Structure formats: C-alpha cells, structure tokens
Amino acid sequence: MKRIFSRTRRITVGCLVGVTPASGRCFHAELVRTESSGLPIVHHSKYVCELPANHRFPMAKFPRVLHFLLQDQVITERQVWVPEIASKDLLGAVHTGDYLNNFISGRINEQEQRRTGFPWSEGIVRRCRYETGGTVLAAEVSLRRGLTCSTAGGTHHAFPSYGSGFCLLNDLAVAAKYLMNSSSRKRKVLIVDLDVHQGDGTAFIFKDEPSVFTFSVHCGKNFPVRKQQSDLDISV
C-alpha cells in the first residue's frame, strides 16, 4: 500500500498549470465526480491488459478491488473518478527520454523484459500510463478533498532509465514531481511505502531531493537484493 501526502495545503487546487478553474478542465481526468461527498476512488478499465497464459502477475486484482467495493456497498459509482492517460511530458519529469521512447515504441530487449517480469506489448504500455495517470489524478483530488484512493499504482521499483520487478513507470515519483512542479509555492511531499519490498526506485529518484521524504517499511530479506537508501527505512 502506497500513499502520497502533500504537506502544503494552500494551492491552486487540482488545476493544470496555466489553466484556470473556470475553464472546466481542472483535473487530469476523463470523468470528474463532484456530486458525492464520499471518499473519491480513482479507477480505469484500462488498468488491465492481456498477459500470456499462466503469467504469475495477478492482473485481475485491479478490477476486482473496484468490484468488491461496489458489491459490498462500501462505495457507490458516484465516487469513482476516471483518469486520463499520463502524457509523455508528465512521465518525462521522472523518466529519461530514451527510456520512454524505447518503452512506448517497443524497443525493449529480452533482458530488459526479464528484469521487469512483463513481455512488452502495446497493452502493457497503455495500462502503465493509465495507472500513472490515476495516481496523478488521485494526488490532484486529494489536494481538494483531503484523501483519495486509486485501485492501482505503487510501482516503486521503476527507475528513471529502466523498469524492474513488475514496475515500468514510477507512478509515485511522477505524481510527486507533478505536485511540486505545478505550484508556485515550494511544496514538500512525503511518500509512505508499506510493502514487503523496499521502494528502491522511488528512493533512488529522490535521493538528492530535499523536498521529498521517502519512508519505506519492508521485509529486509526480500526483493530487491540490493537496497537503496530511503530517507527512512524500516526493515522487518
């Protein structure tokens, strides 16, 4: 479970850089839900893609989370926001141009695919970009509503120039960079990463960024073998 918190609350809430609230396009969203005061949930049907038969990644978990939230009446459809796909400009604040061009166009060799655990496909590119867009939208909505949850994300093993461990784009880092870059005020971001695996990619990305504090609680004797240095690591 990964969450992004902003420590600065007074901002131009949820709006794109250079776009005023009156323009009606204040969020990176395909569907905005303002009629409910309940907890906003971000989800897109394209959070999933086809994988080879018997692939070990549990892709179906993303729609199932939303399904059971609705079925058990924890939320209603009126709480579900739909994100836009993350643009190359957003992704480029974290990832190198060469990596993005190769990843999006499919120039990913077999060794790189083994490191990520995914065979390359247009579908995997699309789902990762929508997933990252979902985290950006959740961050935007949180600044207005206080807390937002996305049914996907937390891809903390992705580094600027390569993917790893089922993580191809670092959605947490992209959202944090967006929060900082879209405000005229200096904003600090806390990333709390609670996972059996250390958030090594996120720690590496922000190792020299004093405005982002990375906090990871993870199993010490588990992937990745080579850990990075977060601002605070707790190994259990």
Side-chain angles (χ1 to χ4, degrees):
M1 180 173 64
K2 299 94 184 174
R3 294 179 180 176
I4 297 181
F5 298 90
S6 172
R7 292 176 178 170
T8 304
R9 295 297 297 275
R10 290 189 62 186
I11 60 164
T12 304
V13 279
C15 291
L16 303 179
V17 179
V19 180
T20 63
S23 69
R25 194 170 188 273
C26 291
F27 297 99
H28 287 85
E30 293 179 3
L31 178 62
V32 173
R33 297 287 197 177
T34 58
E35 66 269 30
S36 173
S37 60
L39 174 68
I41 304 294
V42 176
H43 178 82
H44 203 293
S45 60
K46 293 177 181 176
Y47 278 177
V48 300
C49 70
E50 291 188 7
L51 292 175
N54 301 317
H55 194 281
R56 64 193 181 98
F57 185 80
M59 187 68 72
K61 66 183 178 180
F62 303 118
R64 286 175 68 83
V65 167
L66 181 69
H67 168 77
F68 285 111
L69 287 173
L70 292 169
Q71 176 179 281
D72 295 346
Q73 299 182 353
V74 177
I75 64 168
T76 69
E77 288 280 1
R78 295 187 303 168
Q79 294 170 244
V80 182
W81 296 57
V82 181
E84 291 180 346
I85 194 168
S87 68
K88 284 185 69 175
D89 285 343
L90 275 175
L91 303 175
V94 169
H95 296 285
T96 66
D98 285 346
Y99 174 63
L100 289 176
N101 289 334
N102 291 337
F103 172 57
I104 292 172
S105 64
R107 296 192 297 269
I108 303 295
N109 62 42
E110 185 176 342
Q111 180 181 357
E112 291 169 322
Q113 292 180 62
R114 285 199 302 269
R115 182 166 56 190
T116 66
F118 286 127
W120 185 90
S121 68
E122 291 183 356
I124 198 71
V125 173
R126 182 177 60 245
R127 79 150 300 274
C128 291
R129 292 181 67 179
Y130 271 109
E131 177 179 54
T132 303
T135 303
V136 171
L137 176 60
E140 290 179 312
V141 179
S142 293
L143 291 171
R144 175 172 290 182
R145 300 285 294 274
L147 176 66
T148 305
C149 296
S150 179
T151 58
T155 48
H156 56 178
H157 298 311
F159 284 71
S161 60
Y162 63 90
S164 177
F166 297 137
C167 301
L168 297 126
L169 300 171
N170 195 308
D171 66 303
L172 300 166
V174 171
K177 284 280 191 179
Y178 172 73
L179 289 180
M180 293 188 294
N181 295 340
S182 62
S183 174
S184 59
R185 297 184 61 182
K186 188 69 172 179
R187 182 178 297 138
K188 294 185 177 181
V189 176
L190 167 66
I191 298 180
V192 179
D193 191 331
L194 311 177
D195 190 275
V196 69
H197 306 132
Q198 190 213 31
D200 56 334
T202 312
F204 177 85
I205 290 166
F206 293 118
K207 63 180 181 178
D208 297 319
E209 175 52 74
S211 295
V212 177
F213 190 96
T214 54
F215 172 35
S216 179
V217 181
H218 51 268
C219 176
K221 296 180 179 180
N222 207 315
F223 180 87
V225 175
R226 181 182 178 184
K227 305 290 192 292
Q228 299 292 324
Q229 180 65 55
S230 307
D231 290 297
L232 177 59
D233 286 301
I234 297 180
S235 175
V236 295

